[in-house]
Amino acid sequence: EVQLVESGGGLVQPGGSLSLSCAASGFTFSRDGMTWVRQAPGKGLEWVSGIDRDGSIAGYAHSVKGRFTVTRDNAKNTLYLQMTNLKTEDTAMYYCARGWSGVEIPSVRGQGTQVTVSS
C-alpha cells in the first residue's frame, strides 16, 4: 500500500521559513518523480513543485520560484520542501504526491500538512 505522510507544517510569520517533509512507503521511491501541491482555503489544488527521480531536475510554480526548494533523499525515502520568505498567500494545506508530469496534479497524495502564514 502506497503511503505518503507529510509533516513540518505550522504557523509562521510573513517572511519566515518552514521545511516540510514527506515520508514515502509502499513503492520504490527512487523510481518515481515526486510533486508538491497545495490547496488554499476555498480554492482548488495548485501545483507547486516537482522533482525527478534522482533529484537532478526540479520545477517550480511561478508564485514560489526563488523562495521554495524541493529536494529528496532516496536513501531515506523522503521528499522535502524548504520554504523561505513566506507570504500570507502561501497559506494552504500542502500535499506531496507520487509522480511528476509537468504541472499535472497526481492522484496519489498524502493527507497533507497545514501551513499558515500570518502575523
Side-chain angles (χ1 to χ4, degrees):
E1 178 186 5
V2 173
Q3 285 197 325
L4 299 168
V5 180
E6 301 92 339
S7 62
L11 174 64
V12 62
Q13 293 186 340
S17 299
L18 274 178
S19 183
L20 306 183
S21 299
C22 170
S25 62
F27 65 104
T28 305
F29 182 72
S30 60
R31 292 183 181 175
D32 285 316
M34 296 292 292
T35 297
W36 284 101
V37 302
R38 67 186 180 184
Q39 187 168 27
K43 297 189 177 180
L45 287 167
E46 176 190 14
W47 182 84
V48 173
S49 179
I51 188 168
D52 71 341
R53 63 183 69 181
D54 64 5
S56 60
I57 300 173
Y60 299 93
H62 178 74
S63 59
V64 307
K65 197 168 186 178
R67 299 187 297 120
F68 290 12
T69 302
V70 60
T71 57
R72 64 190 296 162
D73 185 336
N74 285 345
K76 296 182 178 180
N77 289 350
T78 303
L79 177 72
Y80 303 98
L81 187 68
Q82 177 67 38
M83 306 184 293
T84 63
N85 191 21
L86 283 160
K87 305 176 180 181
T88 55
E89 52 263 42
D90 295 318
T91 294
M93 185 73 78
Y94 284 72
Y95 303 90
C96 66
R98 181 184 180 186
W100 179 31
S101 180
V103 296
E104 291 183 6
I105 296 175
S107 60
V108 178
R109 302 186 290 269
Q111 294 301 303
T113 186
Q114 177 68 40
V115 173
T116 302
V117 185
S118 174
S119 55

